[in-house]
Amino acid sequence: QVLLVESGGGLVQPGGSLRLSCAASLGLFSAYTMAWYRQTPGNQRELVASITSGASTNYADSVKGRFTISRDNAKNTIWLQMNYLKPEDTAVYYCNAEIAIVKRTVYWGQGTQVTVSS
């Protein structure tokens, strides 16, 4: 059974920082593109940041320069370091794993709430 378990969410003041973690029970973890998405009520899930098997990264314009995605293949874990948080960063953050060899396969975590408020 594939599990993606997020942790590290919580309440933080504007300008503060949080670090999200996603531990994955995935065979061939290093071959997956991993990503963080976020979703607010009534809106579609949006890509925040992704990191490929080759460690290439991609960020949404709204988080560039503030968020950093990283991975450790030995630990089957990815992180999202979030700095200079804004109220508009408030959302449920989801870990995502994707691989396309014979077919495209996608896994999701259960989500972790991030609330930025004074």
Side-chain angles (χ1 to χ4, degrees), residues 17-55:
S17 298
L18 281 176
R19 191 189 195 205
L20 304 183
S21 300
C22 172
S25 62
L26 283 169
L28 296 177
F29 173 82
S30 62
Y32 282 78
T33 291
M34 301 297 296
W36 290 96
Y37 284 74
R38 66 187 181 187
Q39 188 172 25
T40 54
N43 293 307
Q44 288 190 332
R45 205 167 287 188
E46 65 172 359
L47 176 67
V48 176
S50 64
I51 184 166
T52 67
S53 58

Side-chain angles (χ1 to χ4, degrees), residues 59-116:
Y59 296 92
D61 288 342
S62 59
V63 307
K64 282 181 181 176
R66 300 188 298 121
F67 291 10
T68 302
I69 189 170
S70 59
R71 68 188 297 164
D72 185 334
N73 292 332
K75 296 181 179 180
N76 279 26
T77 301
I78 66 167
W79 296 272
L80 184 69
Q81 178 66 44
M82 304 186 293
N83 298 326
Y84 305 107
L85 282 159
K86 304 175 181 180
E88 51 264 43
D89 295 318
T90 296
V92 178
Y93 284 70
Y94 296 90
C95 181
N96 167 278
E98 181 171 338
I99 194 168
I101 301 178
V102 176
K103 65 175 183 177
R104 180 172 175 262
T105 302
V106 180
Y107 299 106
W108 292 95
Q110 82 288 350
T112 185
Q113 176 71 45
V114 171
T115 302
V116 185

